[in-house]
Amino acid sequence: MSTSGLKGINAVGHKGWVEVKCRICAKKLDVTLDIVYVCQHCRDRYDAYFCTADARRVHYRCPFCGRELQPITPWIAQKRR
C-alpha cells in the first residue's frame, strides 16, 4: 500500500478537514469541538461560518442575506438522530 497520497494536507488527521474560520473575527474554529454557526445559503459562496460571540452580535442573522444562522456541532447532530 502506498502512502504517498496520504501525506501533508491530504492526510486524514489534518486540521484543515475540521477547521473553519469565523467570517467576522477570523477565529479558528474546530467543527468537532466548538459550537459553530453557519448560514446554509451563504456557506458555499462566502464561507459564512461564525463563532458564538459574533453570532450573538449579529442577533443570529446572516450579515450577508439576513437569514437565520444554524448551529452545527457534533452534539446537535447526534441529538437529532
Side-chain angles (χ1 to χ4, degrees):
M1 175 182 218
S2 175
T3 59
S4 63
L6 298 175
K7 292 184 178 180
I9 61 170
N10 294 326
V12 178
H14 190 267
K15 283 284 203 183
W17 290 99
V18 294
E19 208 171 70
V20 294
K21 280 190 170 183
C22 175
R23 189 69 174 153
I24 296 174
C25 68
K27 177 182 177 184
K28 289 184 181 179
L29 304 166
D30 189 346
V31 176
T32 60
L33 299 174
D34 301 325
I35 297 175
V36 179
Y37 288 89
V38 64
C39 176
Q40 297 293 339
H41 183 71
C42 298
R43 175 175 42 183
D44 297 329
R45 188 181 307 163
Y46 301 116
D47 288 331
Y49 296 98
F50 303 95
C51 65
T52 307
D54 288 328
R56 187 173 54 236
R57 185 169 28 173
V58 295
H59 304 286
Y60 301 99
R61 294 279 177 189
C62 178
F64 302 111
C65 67
R67 296 182 186 183
E68 187 176 355
L69 296 177
Q70 301 293 323
I72 54 168
T73 61
W75 179 77
I76 291 173
Q78 289 175 358
K79 193 171 185 176
R80 289 184 182 170
R81 289 184 189 167

